[in-house]
Amino acid sequence: QERLEFLQQFKLEDLTVTLGREQNNKFDCNAIQIVVHIKPIRRRTVIGYVPAKLARELSKVLDMGIQVKATLMQIIAGAHSLT
């Protein structure tokens, strides 16, 4: 939540998203990180993971070298909401 709250200070056009495979994840070999790149400060932060059910299929695509484009639509931060 802290990371999401931090990101809210930036304009959406200043943020880009990439998906990064994490094959050595000890909990899920199909894990895919959601990484937000913050252009104005030249930093990046992991905000979470693609849900396991989707990651199971999407990881196969990424592992074949096919580029997948992700788009950040909205940042919602709060005690009980995360999207």
Side-chain angles (χ1 to χ4, degrees):
Q1 290 301 320
E2 288 176 14
R3 291 179 188 191
L4 294 176
E5 288 172 11
F6 174 74
L7 290 172
Q8 285 182 318
Q9 69 183 302
F10 299 98
K11 296 176 186 173
L12 282 179
E13 54 267 18
D14 289 336
L15 306 172
T16 58
V17 178
T18 57
L19 302 177
R21 282 285 280 123
E22 195 178 65
Q23 294 168 320
N24 296 327
N25 183 301
K26 63 181 177 179
F27 299 106
D28 183 0
C29 64
N30 296 312
I32 301 171
Q33 292 182 329
I34 302 169
V35 182
V36 175
H37 302 264
I38 311 162
K39 294 178 207 173
I41 61 171
R42 297 175 137 173
R43 304 282 275 201
R44 66 185 194 141
T45 186
V46 175
I47 60 166
Y49 289 84
V50 170
K53 206 172 199 178
L54 176 57
R56 193 173 316 127
E57 298 304 317
L58 189 55
S59 64
K60 295 173 189 173
V61 173
L62 293 171
D63 291 347
M64 287 190 291
I66 298 172
Q67 218 172 21
V68 176
K69 183 177 180 179
T71 303
L72 183 63
M73 304 292 290
Q74 181 179 16
I75 298 173
I76 300 173
H80 297 91
S81 63
L82 175 64
T83 57

